[in-house]
Amino acid sequence: MGDMSNSDFYAKNQRNEGNHDGGFGCSLLELRSLMELRGTEAVVKIQEDYGGTEGLCKRLKTSPTEGLPGVATDLDKRREIYGRNLIPPKKPKTFLQLVWEALQDVTLIILEIAAMISLGLSFYQPPGEGSESCGTASAGVEDEGESEAGWIEGAAILLSVVCVVLVTAFNDWSKEKQFRGLQSRIEQEQKFQVVRGGQVIQLPVADIVVGDIAQVKYGDLLPADGVLIQGNDLKIDESSLTGESDHVRKAADKDPMLLSGTHVMEGSGRMLVTAVGVNSQTGIIFTLLGAGGEEEEKKEKKGKMQDGNMENNQTKVKKQDGAAAMEMQPLKSAEGGDMDEKEKKKANVSKKEKSVLQGKLTKLAVQIGKAGLVMSAITVIILVLYFAIDNFVLQKRQWLPECTPVYIQYFVKFFIIGVTVLVVAVPEGLPLAVTISLAYSVKKMMKDNNLVRHLDACETMGNATAICSDKTGTLTTNRMTVVQAYIGDVHYKEIPDPSSLPPKTLDILINAISINSAYTTKILPPDKEGGLPKQVGNKTECGLLGFVLDLKRDYQPIRDQMPEEKLYKVYTFNSVRKSMSTVIKLPDGSFRMYSKGASEIVLKKCSRILNETGEPRVFRPRDKDEMVKKVIEPMACDGLRTICVGYRDFAADPEPEWDNENDILSDLTAICVVGIEDPVRPEVPDAIQKCQRAGITVRMVTGDNINTARAIAIKCGIIHPGEDFLCIDGKEFNRRIRNEKGEVEQERIDKVWPKLRVLARSSPTDKHTLVKGIIDSTLVDQRQVVAVTGDGTNDGPALKKADVGFAMGIAGTDVAKEASDIILTDDNFSSIVKAVMWGRNVYDSISKFLQFQLTVNVVAVIVAFTGACITQDSPLKAVQMLWVNLIMDTFASLALATEPPTESLLMRKPYGRNKPLISSTMTKNILGHGVYQLVIIFTLLFVGEEIFDIDSGRNAPLHSPPSEHYTIIFNTFVMMQLFNEINARKIHGERNVFDGIFRNPIFCSIVFGTFAIQIVIVQFGGKPFSCSPLDLEKWMWCVFLGLGELVWGQVIASIPNSKLKFLKGAGQLTQKDEMPEEELNEDNEEIDHAERELRRGQILWFRGLNRIQTQIEVVNTFKSGTSFQGALRRQSSTTSQNQDVTNISSPSHVSLSNALSSPTSTAAAPAGQC
């Protein structure tokens, strides 16, 4: 009957699925749903639906022993139906797309429009120019030179826009290219063993197809999902998918499901490949993370991970571009229609709230932009009124129709003067400075083993207040090493000299270790010169083999003498035995068994021990107790794992009952006890000390037991004996932070985290909970900025939740790298400290640049404004302004943004989110230097002609050539900027502004380069630049007035800040800007209707503001990210719990809306500081 129903089902299936399974007996979806089952469910399903694995092989037209025939057409057909075994990367953005993104910046758009208008007008000659009756107001009509060279101004603006856009786009493009190079290098190296046509061959992982028979063995990383056909003692570490650290036993009749991305820890077997690429379990996670862009348009995704990590099954439907990603959650309300709008809005904001710097810069740029707008509007109004009153009121002229074009031209000239003021006010060097500074840092960070995947992570790192680090591989070397030994009644605290050991003991020991270990475990020479030898296989066994090498012997010759086939009997290690034993037949026919295992287990079975001469002596129970006290416990307290090695001889006749395990594994002779540890990396304690000095708390989160964890934490310097701190394990942690219902409560976390230093035996969920708890905490006035390191796939959620996620480049899984912001290419904790240093350096570089830029802006705006109002003509002409503004901005941003970091950056606490971007010292410098420059310029403007004994340039008649007077003003202005650039190198009020100036060749060359170009402009600029050549004496005066800046800088540095109470910081993020509205609503699920309406209103409001996207193209640059980061970041961590999705609300707009709606926050910027 069973057969009948089976064939019935088969036929039915054929009918249903025949249209899209291409002649195979299983459709893609069937196989996918099959792979979601686990354990006995899966066995039953395979038995009932397919008639066992044989039946499954038949349907997939493959042979369990011979594999696929390997015919090209067959393979192609399989790829077409079941997909290829690769996860398609998203298409990279083309250079033009990047250029287009860079052009979206608001400042650039204003500039482009102004340039277009200016260009258009320069070619437009209105009629009626000659008619006298139209008035002779000289206001703003340019001289001959400027009307001919009118187009230069527009062209100059456009040129500068092109420069900014190209630099930005090129930065993004090269970053993307580097990252892709790295990815492809990683992917090409992996190969796997597959049976095809009865032959075992090595295939690149990408060539594996559904229906292949793959051979799995110890140490493999499975490349695809499959069903086990036959296995020997197979154990798999599925922690990368489930986060469970216990190894899972796999057997064809119990749990045959093998998943891609998991590691084979023991045994071997053959599997039938049933799902590849985007349809495998890892592939499904990857597509959820947004890596596979194209594939899923074609195929509706049904796969939901049945993982512990996925408490919300959010299915994500994605449009081609990650930006339009919508996350469908179980709808909380009737917001259906609005949902996707809101989600789109959220998805457009990158995964985390904006980095601290971006938030502050956006805010500052808005404040400056507004001030500039106001100034330029006032300028235009004053000019228009002055003209109108002068002409129509005082001179009682009529407005004649034929004069209209002339008047309009006047008004347009006024408008251009207004736009010039605005252009000077808006710091368009800012985006460039930020981009250059970050790009420069990222390039240099590559040398410090930090591969930065998201530019802003580099700067966020400078504000980090907490680091949650893994132990294995990050703080330690991830190489088991024997560090203590107890041999021949002596406890050696370090590796003994071979000559001091009894030769007999040494001989037996070397044999016991070499033979009684998996022959797949080896120690290979290092990959790179000067590296450590590579450990392959079981880490503990590697440690023991390393001990053999340390004793100046070699294990390989012994293994060659006694190859694996000759081993008489092997009791493999398992969790019950906790020991491993190997029996060999000696030449005289007797047997010897070598044993090794956890010392507490093996010592119980020992009745003798080798003494100092290498002879066995009796080992009584009380000797055991003493040994535990004197040797084993002290080793455990040092964080060591103790392993006991022993042996036993059997007579040849009668042959022992090998199956009677208890009798065989008793009456052993102990050879030695060794203490194995995963040693702390030598540079870690120093790095951790630097972190603590820099105000960063380091916490260790590990899966290891609490004693080892505590011992390692003390060695690293994470905890110091006698301090008040917590070391707890996952169980205790959960007991403390959850209420009776088992829900996590923020107040409870707040009681734990400030003192927590070590969290042992922790699950990935604990790690995520801890990170989330610290980030959401409101205990301290500064929001904590948390960095997390991780290597396993199970660390993905925590890496994404953290402000900065570090993945391990060597040990890390792909999923971890995918979720991270920075990849540590050497897996070393001390590289994190470098990242902190670079992050702080970026912040400081931008502050230096701001201090310089704002001085230029304040002065130029005031000069243009007062000049235009008093003399009807700006003393600095539009093209001169642009030279000062753009070239000096661009060059200065290069010069100041490329200062190399110094160790002194690590001597201060992090700035935190609430410290203003422009400190009071900087405000003092900006205002101080502004005053000096204005005094000099106005003196030159109003009495300059008398001082230098030249013709006055003020109110010059129409069409007069450029005057020396105005040229001197322009030249002095530039000289003052040049010398002030040197002052700007220090922002904390240091005296010596030349300190380390020669370490930065870019800076020196830019200062000299600008000086040279200035000489050319003044001497040969002529009409386009409205310059007239100066003689040497006047040049000396200009330089002298510029040098005054340095002297004046020292004067300013002497004034203490406390005397200047009115100095406020600007660009400060207040708490209110911090909390995105939606985050506040995160937990109260039931939001009443009024509130929902409000939120809808906000969304529309945000969307309007979105257009402004505030001056800062950096935001866009960051958003576009690299390769799949863009999409990746736009999704919240798929795996995180508690509908974390609601957190990706949009702070960039929130802070902006607050800035625009609350006068209080903007009033913080003093007027002089526009």
Side-chain angles (χ1 to χ4, degrees):
M1 181 61 214
D3 284 354
M4 182 59 209
S5 63
N6 202 24
S7 57
D8 253 13
F9 178 87
Y10 189 86
K12 224 173 24 220
N13 243 18
Q14 281 294 294
R15 279 198 300 282
N16 296 349
E17 307 288 353
N19 49 7
H20 63 298
D21 60 14
F24 294 108
C26 307
S27 73
L28 177 66
L29 291 177
E30 257 183 75
L31 287 175
R32 269 186 68 157
S33 52
L34 174 67
M35 288 319 293
E36 280 169 14
L37 302 175
R38 299 279 175 276
T40 42
E41 276 184 31
V43 181
V44 172
K45 171 95 170 160
I46 292 174
Q47 266 307 334
E48 287 181 356
D49 291 3
Y50 302 102
T53 42
E54 267 38 310
L56 191 56
C57 288
K58 275 203 193 71
R59 290 207 189 182
L60 289 172
K61 303 195 176 159
T62 180
S63 143
T65 48
E66 303 284 304
L68 293 175
V71 186
T73 48
D74 176 51
L75 297 177
D76 288 343
K77 187 169 167 194
R78 287 172 191 273
R79 287 197 186 101
E80 195 181 312
I81 295 169
Y82 298 114
R84 297 174 162 275
N85 194 24
L86 50 97
I87 291 164
K90 275 188 61 174
K91 282 206 187 84
K93 291 200 166 96
T94 59
F95 189 66
L96 286 174
Q97 277 171 311
L98 293 171
V99 167
W100 177 245
E101 278 180 11
L103 278 169
Q104 305 300 309
D105 181 51
V106 184
T107 324
L108 294 181
I109 293 171
I110 295 177
L111 281 177
E112 285 154 23
I113 294 170
M116 293 298 182
I117 293 176
S118 154
L119 268 178
L121 287 167
S122 65
F123 296 125
Y124 168 65
Q125 292 292 326
E129 194 141 336
S131 74
E132 273 303 304
S133 56
C134 294
T136 54
S138 61
V141 173
E142 299 140 329
D143 49 53
E144 196 58 27
E146 267 204 22
S147 61
E148 284 168 21
W151 61 272
I152 289 184
E153 182 183 337
I157 302 179
L158 285 180
L159 189 72
S160 59
V161 169
V162 170
C163 285
V164 174
V165 168
L166 288 179
V167 170
T168 315
F170 183 73
N171 266 331
D172 290 356
W173 181 77
S174 59
K175 203 169 75 225
E176 181 142 337
K177 201 161 131 249
Q178 264 177 342
F179 186 70
R180 285 188 177 273
L182 186 94
Q183 279 299 92
S184 58
R185 211 173 64 231
I186 297 169
E187 281 159 13
Q188 281 151 13
E189 285 164 4
Q190 216 189 342
K191 285 197 157 56
F192 207 81
Q193 285 191 338
V194 174
V195 182
R196 281 203 183 158
Q199 299 291 316
V200 179
I201 54 170
Q202 289 268 344
L203 267 189
V205 168
D207 295 348
I208 292 176
V209 295
V210 170
D212 260 324
I213 304 294
Q215 290 206 330
V216 296
K217 59 180 187 313
Y218 175 76
D220 283 342
L221 170 70
L222 298 182
D225 291 357
V227 177
L228 186 65
I229 300 177
Q230 169 265 318
N232 333 319
D233 210 11
L234 191 62
K235 286 202 185 145
I236 304 255
D237 172 9
E238 292 193 351
S239 61
S240 61
L241 277 176
T242 59
E244 291 300 321
S245 51
D246 293 343
H247 299 166
V248 186
R249 283 201 87 102
K250 296 286 181 184
D253 50 354
K254 298 227 171 51
D255 181 0
M257 294 312 196
L258 302 180
L259 306 176
S260 59
T262 56
H263 287 86
V264 184
M265 300 315 275
E266 277 185 47
S268 58
R270 284 205 314 273
M271 76 164 182
L272 165 67
V273 176
T274 53
V276 294
V278 284
N279 301 305
S280 66
Q281 295 297 311
T282 308
I284 292 170
I285 294 186
F286 256 95
T287 20
L288 286 179
L289 282 178
E294 324 308 296
E295 288 290 305
E296 26 194 358
E297 262 89 290
K298 303 179 203 147
K299 309 191 183 100
E300 270 276 322
K301 287 284 179 192
K302 295 225 175 111
K304 286 191 193 116
M305 289 294 308
Q306 246 109 36
D307 244 26
N309 285 0
M310 303 272 307
E311 279 158 36
N312 284 2
N313 282 325
Q314 297 141 353
T315 1
K316 305 206 170 172
V317 187
K318 267 205 307 317
K319 306 274 187 308
Q320 189 112 359
D321 173 21
M326 303 181 323
E327 291 165 356
M328 310 285 291
Q329 307 161 323
L331 289 181
K332 291 186 196 161
S333 56
E335 290 180 62
D338 239 35
M339 194 67 177
D340 32 335
E341 291 300 342
K342 182 146 96 209
E343 292 301 346
K344 252 181 228 161
K345 183 204 80 211
K346 288 186 194 170
N348 276 329
V349 180
S350 48
K351 83 154 199 200
K352 294 170 179 161
E353 47 189 283
K354 274 190 323 201
S355 78
V356 186
L357 183 68
Q358 273 168 273
K360 291 180 178 179
L361 279 178
T362 308
K363 189 112 191 266
L364 187 70
V366 173
Q367 291 172 354
I368 295 175
K370 280 194 216 154
L373 208 64
V374 172
M375 290 292 266
S376 60
I378 295 175
T379 313
V380 175
I381 293 167
I382 290 181
L383 286 171
V384 171
L385 283 177
Y386 192 103
F387 175 79
I389 292 171
D390 188 45
N391 267 329
F392 304 130
V393 181
L394 302 180
Q395 303 187 19
K396 308 242 181 334
R397 286 219 177 76
Q398 295 300 305
W399 179 298
L400 303 171
E402 66 266 23
C403 290
T404 308
V406 180
Y407 294 148
I408 284 180
Q409 200 185 16
Y410 277 131
F411 293 148
V412 168
K413 288 283 179 280
F414 298 150
F415 173 72
I416 288 213
I417 291 179
V419 170
T420 311
V421 173
L422 176 65
V423 166
V424 176
V426 173
E428 68 283 34
L430 253 186
L432 192 68
V434 178
T435 315
I436 290 176
S437 178
L438 287 171
Y440 169 76
S441 305
V442 167
K443 232 190 185 57
K444 291 283 192 224
M445 281 168 83
M446 272 301 283
K447 291 198 178 73
D448 286 337
N449 302 311
N450 283 302
L451 175 80
V452 181
R453 297 181 57 219
H454 303 105
L455 267 180
D456 54 344
C458 148
E459 173 269 322
T460 311
M461 210 40 226
N463 279 304
T465 53
I467 298 175
C468 296
S469 172
D470 271 359
K471 175 178 79 75
T472 314
T474 315
L475 299 173
T476 60
T477 52
N478 196 14
R479 313 165 53 81
M480 289 296 185
T481 318
V482 174
V483 285
Q484 295 186 20
Y486 179 85
I487 304 176
D489 295 341
V490 186
H491 185 172
Y492 296 96
K493 290 284 188 183
E494 50 238 6
I495 303 283
D497 187 273
S499 56
S500 65
L501 300 176
K504 272 192 198 161
T505 309
L506 186 62
D507 215 41
I508 290 186
L509 176 61
I510 304 293
N511 274 299
I513 293 177
S514 307
I515 292 171
N516 184 27
S517 58
Y519 278 29
T520 47
T521 303
K522 300 188 190 61
I523 293 186
L524 302 177
D527 288 346
K528 356 186 221 299
E529 279 298 302
L532 294 165
K534 258 193 6 194
Q535 296 189 341
V536 182
N538 181 307
K539 287 277 185 277
T540 308
E541 290 184 351
C542 285
L544 290 167
L545 291 177
F547 182 48
V548 172
L549 299 176
D550 288 340
L551 293 171
K552 314 280 189 291
R553 304 293 276 276
D554 189 2
Y555 60 86
Q556 202 51 54
I558 299 173
R559 284 184 174 182
D560 296 341
Q561 259 177 348
M562 178 62 66
E564 221 166 340
E565 305 77 74
K566 280 205 188 154
L567 300 180
Y568 198 79
K569 169 93 181 142
V570 178
Y571 300 94
T572 57
F573 180 89
N574 65 25
S575 45
V576 182
R577 288 193 193 112
K578 283 215 167 35
S579 68
M580 170 179 179
S581 310
T582 305
V583 182
I584 57 170
K585 201 166 187 173
L586 298 175
D588 62 3
S590 63
F591 300 98
R592 173 171 282 179
M593 175 180 76
Y594 294 113
S595 224
K596 68 162 194 284
S599 54
E600 62 275 15
I601 307 280
V602 179
L603 277 177
K604 279 199 191 103
K605 299 178 176 162
C606 291
S607 53
R608 284 185 282 294
I609 188 166
L610 296 182
N611 64 10
E612 64 275 6
T613 57
E615 298 301 328
R617 67 170 169 82
V618 181
F619 187 59
R620 291 184 299 271
R622 71 157 186 268
D623 297 336
K624 280 178 205 166
D625 298 342
E626 191 183 350
M627 183 144 168
V628 168
K629 264 202 204 69
K630 293 269 172 65
V631 180
I632 292 173
E633 280 179 1
M635 281 189 186
C637 288
D638 288 342
L640 306 185
R641 227 190 204 172
T642 51
I643 302 278
C644 178
V645 184
Y647 76 102
R648 178 180 176 186
D649 288 328
F650 298 95
D653 187 51
E655 189 171 322
E657 285 262 335
W658 297 118
D659 290 342
N660 187 352
E661 218 175 287
N662 291 342
D663 289 358
I664 301 285
L665 290 182
S666 62
D667 198 25
L668 302 175
T669 306
I671 307 170
C672 74
V673 174
V674 293
I676 296 190
E677 74 164 346
D678 187 357
V680 172
R681 287 173 177 264
E683 60 285 329
V684 163
D686 190 34
I688 286 182
Q689 197 186 351
K690 280 185 187 160
C691 282
Q692 290 162 342
R693 257 208 319 259
I696 301 170
T697 313
V698 182
R699 296 182 172 82
M700 181 162 98
V701 182
T702 172
D704 228 329
N705 71 44
I706 189 124
N707 288 331
T708 314
R710 190 183 289 120
I712 298 264
I714 291 173
K715 280 185 188 147
C716 293
I718 291 178
I719 51 182
H720 303 287
E723 278 182 3
D724 179 21
F725 53 75
L726 273 179
C727 288
I728 54 177
D729 58 9
K731 272 209 189 79
E732 172 67 7
F733 175 67
N734 279 308
R735 196 183 61 70
R736 292 191 183 195
I737 62 168
R738 294 178 189 274
N739 58 18
E740 300 71 52
K741 295 187 194 139
E743 294 158 348
V744 178
E745 283 187 2
Q746 187 62 45
E747 333 33 302
R748 289 174 183 243
I749 296 188
D750 286 347
K751 290 200 186 92
V752 176
W753 74 258
K755 287 187 180 173
L756 182 69
R757 290 294 175 276
V758 176
L759 180 57
R761 286 270 177 246
S762 69
S763 70
T765 325
D766 295 340
K767 195 170 184 178
H768 180 259
T769 314
L770 175 67
V771 173
K772 186 173 183 315
I774 298 180
I775 289 179
D776 294 348
S777 172
T778 47
L779 266 191
V780 274
D781 44 355
Q782 298 283 9
R783 151 155 155 22
Q784 295 276 312
V785 178
V786 184
V788 170
T789 66
D791 49 10
T793 310
N794 46 352
D795 292 330
L799 286 171
K800 284 195 101 157
K801 179 67 198 166
D803 295 281
V804 182
F806 287 92
M808 301 297 142
I810 306 168
T813 57
D814 289 354
V815 178
K817 290 180 187 168
E818 213 35 61
S820 68
D821 303 276
I822 297 180
I823 294 175
L824 295 177
T825 49
D826 62 347
D827 287 16
N828 190 340
F829 186 84
S830 62
S831 304
I832 299 179
V833 181
K834 299 253 176 58
V836 172
M837 201 156 81
W838 277 106
R840 293 187 171 187
N841 191 49
V842 168
Y843 197 98
D844 278 11
S845 296
I846 285 162
S847 297
K848 289 172 192 173
F849 173 70
L850 268 175
Q851 176 176 311
F852 172 70
Q853 161 101 44
L854 291 179
T855 314
V856 182
N857 281 8
V858 170
V859 176
V861 169
I862 295 177
V863 168
F865 173 70
T866 45
C869 297
I870 298 168
T871 66
Q872 298 297 294
D873 184 15
S874 169
L876 296 173
K877 297 287 182 289
V879 177
Q880 293 176 349
M881 286 274 214
L882 278 165
W883 157 242
V884 168
N885 196 37
L886 266 147
I887 312 299
M888 304 273 300
D889 274 6
T890 315
F891 282 2
S893 58
L894 256 174
L896 292 167
T898 52
E899 292 267 315
T902 56
E903 285 282 330
S904 61
L905 288 167
L906 293 175
M907 295 302 189
R908 59 170 176 78
K909 300 270 179 277
Y911 280 144
R913 291 175 167 257
N914 308 349
K915 183 176 185 303
L917 192 57
I918 298 175
S919 61
S920 49
T921 314
M922 288 166 63
T923 315
K924 178 179 76 178
N925 290 343
I926 293 170
L927 296 180
H929 289 294
V931 168
Y932 173 81
Q933 297 184 7
L934 286 172
V935 167
I936 298 236
I937 285 179
F938 284 133
T939 311
L940 287 177
L941 181 60
F942 295 112
V943 291
E945 67 271 28
E946 289 147 36
I947 302 175
F948 287 111
D949 189 26
I950 44 177
D951 299 332
S952 164
R954 287 193 315 280
N955 301 331
L958 277 173
H959 312 316
S960 59
S963 68
E964 272 193 280
H965 184 186
Y966 274 19
T967 309
I968 290 179
I969 294 177
F970 167 58
N971 201 16
T972 308
F973 182 62
V974 174
M975 288 303 124
M976 289 194 292
Q977 299 322 327
L978 263 184
F979 288 103
N980 194 28
E981 196 168 331
I982 298 174
N983 277 332
R985 289 184 67 245
K986 300 289 175 224
I987 49 173
H988 299 300
E990 296 93 329
R991 287 253 170 221
N992 180 6
V993 289
F994 292 103
D995 178 33
I997 194 163
F998 295 113
R999 281 216 311 272
N1000 187 356
I1002 302 183
F1003 185 87
C1004 303
S1005 49
I1006 282 177
V1007 172
F1008 290 122
T1010 317
F1011 190 73
I1013 300 175
Q1014 178 64 17
I1015 296 178
V1016 173
I1017 288 181
V1018 172
Q1019 298 305 95
F1020 310 108
K1023 284 188 171 171
F1025 280 98
S1026 326
C1027 285
S1028 129
L1030 302 177
D1031 58 27
L1032 189 63
E1033 188 198 350
K1034 297 196 181 77
W1035 262 102
M1036 293 322 291
W1037 273 107
C1038 293
V1039 175
F1040 172 72
L1041 290 171
L1043 275 168
E1045 270 288 7
L1046 292 175
V1047 182
W1048 184 247
Q1050 294 302 314
V1051 174
I1052 294 178
S1054 317
I1055 306 172
N1057 287 359
S1058 51
K1059 291 275 189 299
L1060 306 166
K1061 287 277 183 268
F1062 62 90
L1063 293 179
K1064 282 282 269 298
Q1068 184 168 358
L1069 278 179
T1070 48
Q1071 232 13 87
K1072 196 166 86 223
D1073 305 338
E1074 269 292 274
M1075 280 300 275
E1077 261 93 306
E1078 253 127 57
E1079 209 159 271
L1080 299 172
N1081 294 336
E1082 177 200 349
D1083 294 321
N1084 33 349
E1085 306 243 323
E1086 274 51 65
I1087 300 159
D1088 65 341
H1089 278 281
E1091 224 174 305
R1092 195 172 315 127
E1093 285 311 314
L1094 248 172
R1095 272 164 75 174
R1096 254 177 224 179
Q1098 277 168 358
I1099 290 155
L1100 291 166
W1101 169 225
F1102 289 157
R1103 230 176 277 140
L1105 286 170
N1106 221 346
R1107 298 287 158 266
I1108 309 179
Q1109 230 9 343
T1110 54
Q1111 297 15 25
I1112 301 268
E1113 84 190 39
V1114 183
V1115 180
N1116 289 335
T1117 313
F1118 286 155
K1119 262 187 224 162
S1120 61
T1122 336
S1123 63
F1124 8 102
Q1125 278 89 281
L1128 203 87
R1129 283 307 183 224
R1130 292 187 191 103
Q1131 246 86 50
S1132 75
S1133 140
T1134 34
T1135 45
S1136 66
Q1137 298 94 353
N1138 307 348
Q1139 264 97 20
D1140 245 7
V1141 186
T1142 42
N1143 287 13
I1144 351 170
S1145 59
S1146 106
S1148 50
H1149 310 320
V1150 177
S1151 57
L1152 221 185
S1153 66
N1154 285 336
L1156 295 182
S1157 56
S1158 66
T1160 48
S1161 62
T1162 29
Q1169 210 188 301
C1170 32

